[in-house]
Structure formats: C-alpha cells, structure tokens
Amino acid sequence: MKVAKITTQQKNSQRYNIFSEEQGKDKYAFSVDESAIVEFGLKKGLELSDTELEAIEAFDQKRRAWNAVLHYLSFSMRTKWQVEQYLLEKEYAPAAVEEAVNRALDYKFLDDAAFAEAFVRTKINTTDKGPKIITGDLRQKGIGPDLAEKALLQFTKERQIDKGVKIIQKKADRQKDAHTIFKKKMMDALRQKGYDTEIFTIAWEEAAIVPDEEEEWERLEAHGDKILRKWEKKAEGRTLQQKVKEQLYRKGFNMQLIQRFLDQKVSGE
C-alpha cells in the first residue's frame, strides 16, 4: 500500500486519517494517533508492506486501549476484571488488552485489594447490606473469595449487630403486625440483606422490642375488624368465631387477645 495523503480528523486533532492511492484516487485506509505517525515515519508517498500495516495496527490498538483505560479509570476505581471486560467489549485485540491492563497494574492504577477494601467500607457506611450480599457484589466485579474475605474483616461482628439493631428499630416504629410475625419478618429481612441468623438473634435481643399489650391489642383489633367485615355476611355464630379465630391466629396474635376480641365483637350464638 502507498500512502496518498494524511489528514487530521475533524473531531479529534490527535488522530490522523491515512489514505491510500487506488486507480488514481485517494481512498481512506485507516486512522492512527500522532505517536504512530512518528514511530513508523508515516508520510505521503511511503510504501507499506502487509507486515508493516499489521505492526501499525497492533501499535495503534495498544495506544488506543491504554487511552481507553485511562478514560475508564477517570470516573471511579475499577477492578482488573472490570477493565478487561470493558476493553474486550470495545473489541480491542487480546494482546492490546493484556498490555494495557498490565501497564495499569504496574502504575498501581489497578489494585484489587485496595478496591475491595474501599468498596466494603463504602457499603458499610452507606447501605444496610450484610456480608453475604457485599461478597456477592464483589464477586460480580471480579474480586475473588480471598480478597473479599480479607476486605470484610473491617465489617466486624459488632458493626453487623449495630446495623441489625438499627434496621429492626427503624421498622418497629411503624410496624402493624403481631409481635411474633414482626419478629419473623425482621429475621427474613436481615437474611435477605446478607446477615446470618446469629447476628439477627443478638440484634433482636439488643433492639429490645418488647410487645406492649395495648399496642398489640390495637393491631389485633384493626386486623380483626377487617376479617370480621369479610366474614360476617358469609357466616355467623360459632362458625364466624372459628373463621375469625383461625385468621387472627395465622397473623401471629396470641389466643388470649384473640378470645378478648371474640368476646367483645363476635357472638357465639
């Protein structure tokens, strides 16, 4: 191939378009950055062999991959795996990806251990996520189990319990369920957030959510009235009592309060 002309790209003054000469006309061939112009002495009239063209392409790929890494890292910390995937999705050659990633590692622009430490610290400070969920988040970003386990050492048992207590107390302020149902919901909620059963058990005790009989009665009465409205047109007497009793019991209320409600509001005759 013979270089017919070299022009600067309109949208990027650091990139140059290389044209070849075919049948007396200039035809776009490829583009490179300024370093490739200097490295290979590209100029009008230069003849390039296939081997030289491949070398130019490989050189330019590596330069562009490196620039892409710098751009990607300018927004936030990334893991080695994230950078590799980013470059591969941009369709850079594997050799260019490997060189760019290794260069970033050499310059300490990539540090999976530091990333994991910072990631866990941020999650502890800004979310209610427990260790299991955070571990999963790290895995999705390419952090292996050893680094994840080490980073999670900062999420001590005491800090997990403190998180659990705050979650429980926050929900307790506006909960409308029977005490036993609320406790089960909190256990399920903490598990879903990534805490284990031991953490929940201790957090529940420290949260000191003691059922107040009058508050429990008010919650039962609210549920009971709804159930009663639903069934009083379908049943009566002992049948109605049984339906109301069964549904209130399934909602976690104790039999003493249920019987109090039945005595006050449902005739057994």
Side-chain angles (χ1 to χ4, degrees):
M1 176 196 133
K2 184 177 181 180
V3 177
K5 69 176 180 179
I6 301 174
T7 62
T8 304
Q9 290 187 352
Q10 292 183 352
K11 294 184 179 180
N12 185 351
S13 61
Q14 302 300 312
R15 296 287 296 177
Y16 295 83
N17 293 329
I18 310 299
F19 292 82
S20 63
E21 184 179 309
E22 291 188 13
Q23 298 178 348
K25 295 182 179 181
D26 296 339
K27 181 180 179 181
Y28 172 80
F30 56 89
S31 65
V32 294
D33 67 16
E34 189 172 3
S35 61
I37 297 287
V38 175
E39 178 73 17
F40 294 93
L42 299 179
K43 60 184 179 180
K44 182 178 179 180
L46 181 67
E47 290 281 355
L48 296 171
S49 66
D50 289 343
T51 301
E52 288 172 322
L53 287 171
E54 290 175 2
I56 293 170
E57 169 63 18
F59 179 87
D60 190 60
Q61 274 259 331
K62 292 176 181 179
R63 292 284 299 181
R64 289 191 294 116
W66 175 242
N67 288 335
V69 168
L70 296 179
H71 175 74
Y72 189 48
L73 293 176
S74 68
F75 297 102
S76 66
M77 292 180 71
R78 311 285 184 179
T79 65
K80 176 176 177 285
W81 180 84
Q82 284 179 305
V83 172
E84 288 173 339
Q85 294 305 304
Y86 175 77
L87 294 177
L88 290 172
E89 287 173 5
K90 295 288 185 181
E91 298 185 348
Y92 288 105
V97 172
E98 182 179 3
E99 181 172 307
V101 169
N102 287 337
R103 189 175 177 185
L105 289 169
D106 290 340
Y107 286 145
K108 306 299 182 184
F109 293 167
L110 290 176
D111 186 333
D112 281 1
F115 177 95
E117 290 282 342
F119 185 87
V120 172
R121 184 165 54 252
T122 298
K123 293 301 178 183
I124 292 173
N125 293 333
T126 63
T127 75
D128 289 333
K129 290 184 176 182
K132 293 179 182 178
I133 296 298
I134 295 175
T135 298
D137 291 343
L138 287 170
R139 187 185 307 116
Q140 291 179 353
K141 295 180 182 299
I143 298 296
D146 291 341
L147 286 181
E149 183 178 357
K150 184 178 179 181
L152 280 162
L153 290 176
Q154 62 188 294
F155 202 177
T156 62
K157 183 176 180 179
E158 290 72 22
R159 297 181 79 174
Q160 292 178 49
I161 293 169
D162 183 58
K163 285 273 190 182
V165 170
K166 290 178 180 177
I167 293 169
I168 292 168
Q169 289 178 336
K170 183 178 179 180
K171 293 291 186 181
D173 292 338
R174 55 179 184 273
Q175 70 97 5
K176 298 180 180 180
D177 296 303
H179 183 74
T180 54
I181 296 297
F182 175 65
K183 181 177 180 179
K184 183 180 183 305
K185 284 185 175 181
M186 285 296 93
M187 181 171 65
D188 292 342
L190 262 66
R191 283 177 176 171
Q192 290 172 3
K193 289 179 181 292
Y195 298 91
D196 62 30
T197 303
E198 180 189 8
I199 295 299
F200 165 75
T201 301
I202 299 172
W204 179 262
E205 291 177 358
E206 292 194 8
I209 307 299
V210 179
D212 179 276
E213 185 171 339
E214 282 309 306
E215 290 181 357
E216 190 81 344
W217 166 252
E218 289 174 3
R219 286 190 283 268
L220 181 148
E221 194 172 30
H223 284 288
D225 286 342
K226 289 181 181 178
I227 295 169
L228 192 56
R229 285 195 296 272
K230 176 182 177 181
W231 284 99
E232 62 186 357
K233 294 181 180 179
K234 303 177 183 179
E236 59 183 17
R238 293 187 181 279
T239 301
L240 178 58
Q241 275 197 345
Q242 190 62 30
K243 290 293 184 182
V244 174
K245 181 187 293 186
E246 288 174 357
Q247 294 199 26
L248 285 174
Y249 185 74
R250 282 201 292 268
K251 289 184 178 295
F253 295 105
N254 67 59
M255 290 304 300
Q256 183 179 355
L257 287 180
I258 293 174
Q259 191 59 52
R260 175 182 166 187
F261 179 83
L262 294 175
D263 291 343
Q264 290 186 15
K265 301 199 175 186
V266 184
S267 172
E269 298 179 356

